[in-house]
Amino acid sequence: MAGININRTTAGVLLPPQVSNEIWQDTQNESVIQRLVPKVQLPGSGITIQTITGDPVAEWVNETEEKPVGDSTFGQKAMTPYKAAIIEVFSDEFRRDKAALFNAVQTRLPGSLARLFDTAVMFGPSPGSNFDNLAAAPTANINTAGSVYSGLLGALSSVTTVGKGDITGWALSPAGEIKVLGELDADGRPLFTANPQQDGSIGSLLGRPIYKTNAVYKAAGGAGTTETIGFAGDWASARWGTVEGIKISATDQATINKGGEQLNLFQRNMFALRVEVEFGFIVRDVNRFVRLTGSAGA
């Protein structure tokens, strides 16, 4: 009789115990936002970051003339933390007899929080006020063969026109990298790789580094929409923060509500792992970022 997930009878868990413990698992993507954006320490009550929005303007003056007097202008951005969490329950026997699988699972739990954070930042919705996202960022299409280069230049132009912004890095999905690899020059040679026989990936675009991750991909939602295959922007103009870092707790004494069913862990010889973190994110100006788009939805 099958038990409550996760246990030794859970679908996909191999028995008997003498079966090889080698476990194939997908690469656990780290948060691309946390790699690209500077981090700040975030108090539990949130933080307000002071910004300089304008500098005094100098002028030419003649000998003995009064020197001009100017003023800087200032602004502020508030960042509020929001909690992300997940609980997973296991049987004691699963931890005992499938130790390697259990160890792999528990190390992947924080990755679910990173994916939730990246999705909220890039696509929204935000979990609440004072938590920005890039959903309203301008777009640059790099889908059509022969227009990838102009699309990348359009992304650069979009960011630089908002003042002192500049693209400092590209976050590309594998689908986005394929679009770039397929761009050819007038003689039919790859434009962004010097040696297609040896270079199967791209480390930089237009002098800016590439961070490749599936986290930036989003399929088109239907007619009138386009798939998202990457993001680019002035990442230094954003900030992310966490209050205490990721916290992991384990218990076998609690009662867990799983889909409306109350599970008394002690009574069932089960235990639960709880993983949680408080995240915050703000951008100085969403127009300092660009969403790179691909194919249109049907």
Side-chain angles (χ1 to χ4, degrees):
M1 180 177 179
I4 296 171
N5 281 343
I6 292 175
N7 64 84
R8 292 176 299 171
T9 67
T10 296
V13 177
L14 300 176
L15 290 177
Q18 62 264 29
V19 174
S20 172
N21 251 344
E22 184 174 3
I23 302 164
W24 294 93
Q25 55 184 325
D26 293 332
T27 301
Q28 185 72 59
N29 289 327
E30 297 179 359
S31 167
V32 67
I33 295 298
Q34 293 172 24
R35 283 185 285 163
L36 285 165
V37 175
K39 180 183 178 182
V40 297
Q41 187 59 43
L42 184 58
S45 58
I47 190 174
T48 298
I49 297 177
Q50 194 74 56
T51 61
I52 300 174
T53 59
D55 298 316
V57 178
E59 299 177 17
W60 299 109
V61 294
N62 293 319
E63 184 178 353
T64 73
E65 283 187 339
E66 289 186 343
K67 309 306 183 287
V69 177
D71 295 301
S72 298
T73 56
F74 305 95
Q76 59 185 28
K77 286 285 293 187
M79 182 193 299
T80 300
Y82 292 88
K83 182 174 290 188
I86 184 66
I87 293 176
E88 192 162 15
V89 295
F90 304 86
S91 70
D92 290 344
E93 294 81 1
F94 179 86
R95 176 169 54 178
R96 180 193 67 199
D97 297 341
K98 308 299 294 182
L101 185 58
F102 169 71
N103 290 333
V105 168
Q106 68 172 341
T107 59
R108 290 172 64 87
L109 281 176
S112 66
L113 304 181
R115 290 191 296 273
L116 178 67
F117 174 68
D118 279 2
T119 299
V121 167
M122 290 182 287
F123 303 108
S126 297
S129 59
N130 299 326
F131 189 111
D132 294 336
N133 64 63
L134 305 180
T139 61
N141 188 275
I142 61 169
N143 178 59
T144 307
S147 67
V148 173
Y149 184 69
S150 61
L152 296 174
L153 289 180
L156 283 171
S157 176
S158 176
V159 173
T160 57
T161 55
V162 297
K164 298 180 180 179
D166 188 17
I167 287 178
T168 57
W170 313 83
L172 278 185
S173 66
E177 186 181 43
I178 290 172
K179 300 287 187 185
V180 174
L181 285 170
E183 184 73 342
L184 306 178
D185 63 18
D187 297 319
R189 296 172 300 189
L191 186 61
F192 293 105
T193 54
N195 190 334
Q197 285 76 30
Q198 297 181 5
D199 300 335
S201 63
I202 302 174
S204 64
L205 272 179
L206 304 179
R208 283 89 170 165
I210 290 177
Y211 297 81
K212 190 167 70 172
T213 171
N214 278 312
V216 297
Y217 180 81
K218 185 177 182 180
T225 66
T226 53
E227 65 176 346
T228 299
I229 56 180
F231 280 86
D234 184 0
W235 300 101
S237 68
R239 293 291 186 272
W240 75 278
T242 179
V243 177
E244 296 178 298
I246 293 177
K247 297 188 294 183
I248 302 178
S249 304
T251 183
D252 60 0
Q253 300 295 312
T255 296
I256 301 295
N257 183 340
K258 184 179 182 181
E261 181 180 7
Q262 299 296 313
L263 303 180
N264 186 302
L265 301 180
F266 179 79
Q267 185 177 28
R268 296 175 182 270
N269 285 104
M270 301 184 75
F271 68 100
L273 282 181
R274 183 184 66 201
V275 184
E276 58 185 331
V277 65
E278 291 177 88
F279 282 131
F281 179 79
I282 56 173
V283 297
R284 183 169 181 172
D285 184 352
V286 72
N287 293 305
R288 293 192 178 201
F289 297 86
V290 175
R291 182 168 62 92
L292 305 175
T293 61
S295 303

